[in-house]
Amino acid sequence: MGSIDDFWRQLNVKKGPKATLSGLSNIPGLTTHSRTLPAKGSASPALPAARFAAALAPSELPDQQGLQASIQRDINCLTDQDRNLRRTAISQLKSKLFPDGENQKAQDVQLLQQIVSGPMLVPVVRLLGDPVEKCREGSLTLLASAAEQLPEPAALLSCLMPAVADRMGDVPVEEPSEELRLAIIRLIAGPVILRSGQCLLPYLTLVVKVVCRALEDPFHDIKKAGCSAIANLCKQLPSDALRPQHDALLASLLPNLGHQHSRVRVSTLAALDTLVTKGVSEQAMVQVIAPAVKPLVCDRASAVKEQCFAAVGSWLGASRPADKGGCSPPSSAHRRAFLVELLPVLLLGLTDESSSIRDATMSRLKDIGQMHADMQSADDRLKSNDFASSSHSQASWPASFTHPFQAQPAATTQHMVQDILPAILPSVVTDLREWTVALRLNAARCLQSIFVLAGAAPSAHLPHLLSPLCSAAGDEEEQVAHYVVQAAQVLGAFVKLGHWLPLMVDSVAAPQASLPTRVNALVVLSAMLHAAGVVQQSVDSEQLLLLVGALCSDAVRGVDQAPAQQQLLAVIYNTISLAGGQCSLLSQQLWLLLLQLQASESSQELAMQAATASQRLAAACGQSSIAGLAAMHAPSLTSALAQNVDSWTAHSPDCHVFSVLLLSCPGTTLSALIPQALQITCSILPDPERSVEAESTCCHPPKACCPIMHCDVVSLFVTAWAICTDQGPQGNHADTVSVLQYWCRHPKHALQKVCL
């Protein structure tokens, strides 16, 4: 501590110039220096214009200084503790700098650029985190106007993007207001992205964070604005810059494909389309994008389906409408992988309920097939020419095919499907066994389209194809079974009968097959036989013998359930249509099957249909009616039936055939059959005397008591006998039974009486 002399010396030191207030030079009403007003009548000294301009910095030009002075108080109030002052200040700044409506005035954009991106930017951006919603809203409104009108909006990014990312880029999102979140993403998606260009690259990570939060937002309008942001990013930035952000964008974008609002799904597809067009990796397409897009092909909104098929076709190289611009085809490295994953999706458009979608899909397939042909090597083009020369001509194209297959597709499209068939067929067949109806239905629809476009190419895959096809034919969902049967018909039309008939015969006649499995195999066999007959495929005697032999096996003709019998009848009917006159070689076996179906007790309608089929068989064999068949085959059939009469039971097929045969024969044929028929009847009628004797001497039931000989069979024989002889036993039913039992005990007398 100094002495008293030192202290006194400091007090007497000459004071310096008085300190002036700093930082207040721009506040209206305050000044840091005194000025002397000129006397009246005297003129102020004139300063040269050049000297005056040089004395002022560019930021202190008179217009800027005046404008800044007029708004400085509002700028200062942006940081005031009073919320009302802050709200009023931001409103005043918006109305002064960016007036709208009737108050709109033309402002110098360069002047606005200097003011907004200068001293005003930081306090305005800070208001984005203000606790008062009106203040945040005013700040966003002013910034949106500035971003739209300023000549260099990129000057705002350094301050704006970190603040926006803090407000809406983290999880959970800090901004609670839906309206303000919508305003933020519209600011980013609109002027910030569209007008910043390459200047946005340093802030791309922050932009993507905000866009991802918008895509995850529960408010549907915010989601759609996020999709617009992705589309605008793809338009403004190069693909190399966006590629590191693909994973984050896809993770937030793809879940919106399942949103409840169709417009959100459409917007999401449009954003995904632009993102894929810029280029995505093969892994992203195969593992992420394709599985997410597949469910949209059966969307309930037609606009979503149209957008989906258009996008998938574009990714494979199909041309777009002129107003939407073209799309570069996928690179050769990714082309085949894209085809394998996306072509089954696109093929579903061929079976869509909308005719416009079917036509557009066929047109896209034509473009893709042509592109596929153009990108092939010389060897592949030679194979393509061979395929085109061996494919179906327009004259031989099945006329029964419906839209859009009523005309033969382009040869390049058919070759493309044939080329990638080994890669796409296993996954489609696997989907036939999926537990969800939608996946099984899509697989069945896709399989039909594949078979139409592939022609005879599936021949090499039949061993692994027919078994799943038979299983799917019995699907509990009617639509799935319908498309599977149509796919089987396409196979039967295009694949030669010699390739698939032996395999189908093994499936139908398998001894250990369950009833549902056998019925499903009969359904597929019937469909393939029908299609082969429509296109007039030829069948030789060996193939016909193989088919009829399988149908006459005990495992097939022994079924007594109505569904199995109905499908067996369909197979017989289609066999007759396919073989035509060749049926005469095996007409006895075929008529035997039809007689058994006529004797069916499960359905009267089935019996009538079997009788109609018998008439068709007679016509194919050159006979005018069933009487001709009976005259040809009744004696030999009766002899064949008599060989195993001892093993007949109530459910034996031969027993039913014997009953119907007697009623089917005309009088002249039946007269010759009565002796044989009586022998068969005598062998199965119980002997009352033996039955009584057996019951008295043995505790076991008598063997002579056959379970099939009840009154119906007896009456049937009596009726047949009456038809032949125009007479019959008189009396009641008991007398009839007594007469026949007497005949059985005295067969010689019975035969003599019948022959008379």
Side-chain angles (χ1 to χ4, degrees), residues 336-358:
R336 189 170 184 84
F338 279 25
L339 272 176
V340 171
E341 289 298 322
L342 296 178
L343 188 61
V345 179
L346 184 61
L347 289 176
L348 291 174
L350 295 175
T351 54
D352 191 84
E353 58 186 9
S354 172
S355 59
S356 61
I357 291 179
R358 295 196 296 267

Side-chain angles (χ1 to χ4, degrees), residues 164-248:
V164 169
D166 290 341
R167 198 65 188 167
M168 197 177 165
D170 298 327
V171 180
V173 175
E174 187 175 350
E175 176 55 58
S177 172
E178 290 182 346
E179 290 79 7
L180 297 189
R181 296 199 302 272
L182 179 59
I184 290 175
I185 189 58
R186 283 179 175 174
L187 170 63
I188 300 301
V192 170
I193 294 178
L194 292 177
R195 303 192 65 222
S196 298
Q198 300 293 325
C199 298
L200 195 65
L201 291 177
Y203 312 98
L204 183 57
T205 302
L206 299 178
V207 172
V208 170
K209 287 178 61 178
V210 175
V211 172
C212 289
R213 300 295 83 76
L215 295 171
E216 298 166 1
D217 198 281
F219 188 29
H220 57 88
D221 284 341
I222 298 178
K223 290 180 180 292
K224 290 188 287 186
C227 295
S228 300
I230 292 181
N232 293 337
L233 277 175
C234 294
K235 294 177 182 177
Q236 297 296 320
L237 300 181
S239 57
D240 293 339
L242 282 175
R243 190 168 293 113
Q245 309 295 336
H246 279 179
D247 292 342

Side-chain angles (χ1 to χ4, degrees), residues 505-519 553-556:
V505 165
D506 292 342
S507 299
V508 168
Q512 303 300 325
S514 62
L515 179 62
T517 301
R518 199 180 310 280
V519 171
S553 64
D554 293 338
V556 179

